[in-house]
Amino acid sequence: SEFTTADRLRRSFEELGPTFVKLGQLLSTRSDLIPEEFIQEFTKLQDNVQPLPFETVKAAVERELKRPLTECYSEFSPEPLAAASIGQVHTAVLITGERVVVKVQRPEIEFIIENDVSLLAFLANLLERYIPESRVIRPRVIVDEFFRTLSLELNYVVEANNMAKMAENLAVFPQIVVPKVYKGLSTSKVLTQERIEGIRVNDPKALDAAGIDRKMVVAAGSRAFFKSVMIDWLFHGDLHGGNLFILPGNRLGII
């Protein structure tokens, strides 16, 4: 075959959907368990999902917020800014004029994930029963921990509370910007937050053109990160280029 075993497995995970994509992404961080060629393939895992139709999004938001969309937002983009397996993000403007992004969870995703995790738990049991060598990596423990993590990710109230707490913790750093959460327009399945508009941290040409002092940004970001880890014990665990924006005044916006 033109594809390696690792490549075929990565493609299979993408076809199997969100739960398996998330599992592959988790396994890509476990170089203690997984051979290097599989690690390299799993780091490529992407959510191959079709965006939800606007009518579905509108109905989901109205159901969650218990009022018409037009009573909550003066503008709401029908096209998503980003679409992923668990939810998708739309830009919007509040009635009071603030520019926001709204994360909307996919209907039925909770049911799909519960079914998939039940299958994974069944397979983990079989592995431990019939392949004694697998017991050393404890497949059932991995599946249990994976399900707990996914359950938290499905609850946007947890995310909103984490954002509010991190904003409070990092308020001592004027250069660090954490988006404000609009709790009156947020539930466990809808999250409305301040829109952070800046230059992506991985766009060096744009940063240079804007006259950004990179050393100053790195110093502020490093201090904030180490305070989060060493003092607060609450830190951002996914600091990639898509989640970091440089704002005017050498400020760092963290999504």
Side-chain angles (χ1 to χ4, degrees), residues 95-232:
I95 299 295
T96 46
E98 292 95 335
R99 292 157 69 81
V100 296
V101 291
V102 185
K103 186 152 81 166
V104 184
Q105 193 170 121
R106 289 176 167 267
E108 311 297 326
I109 192 67
E110 210 166 350
F111 175 73
I112 292 167
I113 285 175
E114 281 178 9
N115 276 351
D116 287 346
V117 170
S118 295
L119 174 60
L120 287 171
F122 173 71
L123 293 173
N125 273 317
L126 289 182
L127 265 177
E128 291 196 18
R129 184 179 303 172
Y130 296 112
I131 306 176
E133 297 88 343
S134 74
R135 289 172 198 159
V136 71
I137 65 171
R138 304 166 80 197
R140 284 188 295 179
V141 172
I142 291 174
V143 171
D144 286 346
E145 181 64 23
F146 174 60
F147 183 57
R148 273 199 298 276
T149 305
L150 261 185
S151 299
L152 290 174
E153 197 173 329
L154 287 169
N155 186 350
Y156 291 170
V157 171
V158 172
E159 185 173 345
N161 289 340
N162 283 340
M163 288 170 67
K165 184 63 181 169
M166 285 198 76
E168 185 184 315
N169 291 345
L170 299 178
V172 293
F173 301 109
Q175 280 178 271
I176 302 297
V177 178
V178 178
K180 175 184 175 183
V181 176
Y182 293 89
K183 292 201 172 179
L185 294 172
S186 300
T187 70
S188 62
K189 295 182 180 0
V190 171
L191 178 61
T192 302
Q193 65 187 62
E194 175 188 359
R195 196 187 317 178
I196 297 287
E197 296 176 274
I199 303 167
R200 283 181 185 268
V201 76
N202 53 3
D203 187 351
K205 286 183 180 175
L207 294 176
D208 289 343
I212 297 298
D213 184 335
R214 294 196 212 175
K215 287 186 178 178
M216 189 181 286
V217 172
V218 169
S222 300
R223 287 194 194 98
F225 180 72
F226 284 112
K227 179 181 185 292
S228 298
V229 174
M230 307 301 291
I231 296 172
D232 303 330

Side-chain angles (χ1 to χ4, degrees), residues 56-67 105 107 189:
T56 305
V57 171
K58 180 174 180 286
V61 174
E62 291 182 337
R63 184 168 59 249
E64 284 296 308
L65 301 184
K66 297 181 171 54
R67 52 202 144 135
Q105 193 170 121
K189 295 182 180 0

Side-chain angles (χ1 to χ4, degrees), residues 14-58:
E14 286 181 342
E15 285 181 25
L16 284 165
T19 314
F20 289 85
V21 168
K22 295 281 181 190
L23 176 64
Q25 289 169 343
L26 167 70
L27 292 174
S28 75
T29 66
R30 296 300 304 268
S31 54
D32 56 325
L33 301 180
I34 308 293
E36 179 60 28
E37 63 172 315
F38 287 85
I39 295 284
Q40 287 179 3
E41 278 302 321
F42 287 168
T43 55
K44 299 177 191 173
L45 276 165
Q46 300 292 326
D47 294 313
N48 289 331
V49 294
Q50 285 292 103
L52 292 169
F54 177 60
E55 284 308 311
T56 305
V57 171
K58 180 174 180 286

